[in-house]
Amino acid sequence: MRRGFKMYQAAGKFAAMLMLAGVLAVPAAFGQAASNRGNVLFTQQDRVVAFNPGTGVGQQVGTATGKINGTTIVDFQFTPLAGGQFSFINSALLTDLDGDQVKFLNVGTGQFIIPLDTTFTIGGPLVGTYEAVSGSGKYASWVGKKFPYRAVASNSQIALGTVYVEVYSNPIK
């Protein structure tokens, strides 16, 4: 418990440095409507269970609902960029109630935002794609399809964060 708290203290200090430098802002791209992305294919609600702020590597677990109803496991790595932005490459495995699975390569960008209340640390919007790289059962036909998504991540100073994701049904060609 103490080790996790120290990691988040370090992440909070990193966010404070970015705030002082004036680099935390929300670009216009994050505010664009999702109307051209189709209906929501599935949502994902995860809790971060491991995170190393020194490397940007972590893991989150949770649930999916929609066309996939089941569990999620995500291995993630993010890389800080200029202006409070970051890029990431994730591997997401979803398993449904029938035991069918689909594994996604999840890539995209995010933006740290300044929290309204300084008792919280950092978080912000994310955009990218979920590309099905392998699948079993009903998800085998999804392999090779790439779906757009939007998400938001939030973190507190005393606990690992949460992530909410909406994956959209219109595949990217």
Side-chain angles (χ1 to χ4, degrees):
M1 173 84 178
R2 192 72 184 141
R3 192 181 112 209
F5 179 71
K6 286 186 178 192
M7 285 192 301
Y8 265 84
Q9 280 183 317
K13 288 177 185 174
F14 175 69
M17 289 186 303
L18 290 174
M19 284 184 246
L20 289 173
V23 298
L24 296 184
V26 179
F30 288 110
Q32 293 177 348
S35 60
N36 64 337
R37 296 178 182 173
N39 296 320
V40 174
L41 183 63
F42 64 89
T43 60
Q44 185 176 328
Q45 293 180 290
D46 291 347
R47 180 171 220 31
V48 177
V49 295
F51 177 64
N52 181 328
T55 63
V57 172
Q59 189 173 66
Q60 61 198 53
V61 298
T63 58
T65 57
K67 292 287 183 183
I68 301 175
N69 290 299
T71 62
T72 64
I73 301 172
V74 178
D75 291 327
F76 66 84
Q77 170 143 26
F78 76 84
T79 303
L81 303 171
Q85 296 184 31
F86 57 93
S87 64
F88 54 87
I89 299 174
N90 301 344
S91 178
L93 179 66
L94 284 67
T95 305
D96 73 9
L97 294 169
D98 297 326
D100 293 335
Q101 297 183 325
V102 59
K103 182 178 177 184
F104 292 100
L105 174 63
N106 167 4
V107 297
T109 58
Q111 178 71 44
F112 292 121
I113 59 172
I114 298 172
L116 291 174
D117 183 329
T118 57
T119 61
F120 299 96
T121 56
I122 56 178
L126 306 98
V127 295
T129 59
Y130 264 48
E131 180 180 2
V133 294
S134 61
S136 65
K138 59 184 134 325
Y139 308 116
S141 65
W142 290 21
V143 174
K145 292 183 180 177
K146 193 181 286 190
F147 302 95
Y149 81 94
R150 292 176 31 179
V152 63
S154 298
N155 299 291
S156 80
Q157 291 184 12
I158 59 171
L160 297 173
T162 60
V163 181
Y164 174 79
V165 181
E166 290 183 349
V167 178
Y168 300 100
S169 60
N170 286 349
I172 298 170
K173 308 267 188 250

